[in-house]
Amino acid sequence: MLMMMLGAVQLGAAAACVVVLVPMGMAGWHLSRNKMLFFSGALFISLAICVHLTPYFPSVPDFVTSVSSAVVFDHRSSCINLVNEISWEVKPNASFHHFNNTQNSSSIADFYDKRWDWSDAYKLKACEFTKLSKSDASDLLNGSWVVIAGDSQARLFTLSLLNLILGPQSQSMDSVRADLFKRHSDYSVLVNETGMKLDFIWAPYVMNLTNLVMNFKTQKNCPDVMIMGAGLWHMLHFTNASDYDLHLRILKTQAVSLLPFSTELAMNEPVTGSVPIKSSHLFWLGMPVLINGMLNTEEKRAKMNDAMWHAYDKALGDSKLLRQTGGPLFLLDFQSLTWNCGPHCTSDGMHYDRAIYEAAVQIMLNTLLIESHQTL
């Protein structure tokens, strides 16, 4: 649109040169012998130029608004693509020497301090990513229905989100931890102070996630925010990347049908089969890097090797489930988070330190800020 406006202005200027300036210039040469006639002619030429150019100029407010909107859209689009770029500082803490010199049942991860922040690259500074406080996160999610579905990675993500919303020292968190980690069970909580409802759904397989999405479609009601992810159980118990790919493609079809409009780039037409329900913010919890030598069973070490992990990661990309590849779900990049934090951030090669999940929660919240056009 901006280029069309500029093109119209250039066309108008060219027309003015041909229609007005050439004949008036010739007349001005003759009029230059008389100063009074010369200045009258110059005034007439100026007015004529304005009259010829006016139809080609948009109104100033409209022009400024158009330019501003284009810049804001580009800024938000760029920042969405950068929100996963996290840097880590992992250092031994004061107890590290004691750990090295005694027999200790604690995990080595407990003896390292982990600090993270968004990369200090120049392109990220303009995005003004920030770690939301308890009050900021509560305001952002006020009155929202949040659903988190998946395996143990999703459960740990749920714990970090509630830890931020309720406060780590609150008495509520004691009961949350006890109830949330009941083996292979669902969990629900209503935060009275903000009206936020959160449901954790135990869904270790992609098929479970697809069924959940289909239920929302049938009910014509879906959560405001949905975070989901699965893959580790499938890798361990089926060890078949092609089958995983197939299930991801089915999930994509169902997830897209929940949205009122397609998330395909440069596509604004309604999605075939979509239902008239409110739009959700959809996120995918990527699989963490698996450190094979630290996995706690021989079966896991045999089946969840590097080659199989990469095959499953490729299946995710090929399925085009993620918004980064034209799909409906935005990736919370656990691969990047866990790789950059490293082996000192895990005790079993699969489940990571709480700092990983805290960072993922903040990435999700900053993405919501951008998508909902809000600022703190």
Side-chain angles (χ1 to χ4, degrees), residues 231-250:
L232 294 177
W233 274 58
H234 193 283
M235 189 187 301
L236 178 62
H237 298 292
F238 290 90
T239 323
N240 187 331
S242 297
D243 184 68
Y244 182 63
D245 184 356
L246 175 62
H247 283 289
L248 289 173
R249 292 175 188 270
I250 297 171

Side-chain angles (χ1 to χ4, degrees), residues 231-232 234-244 287 290 292 300-316:
L232 294 177
H234 193 283
M235 189 187 301
L236 178 62
H237 298 292
F238 290 90
T239 323
N240 187 331
S242 297
D243 184 68
Y244 182 63
M287 287 193 297
L290 300 178
N292 190 267
K300 289 178 181 178
R301 289 190 291 271
K303 294 182 176 180
M304 307 177 83
N305 54 57
D306 290 346
M308 188 56 63
W309 187 96
H310 284 290
Y312 270 65
D313 185 56
K314 183 178 184 299
L316 176 61

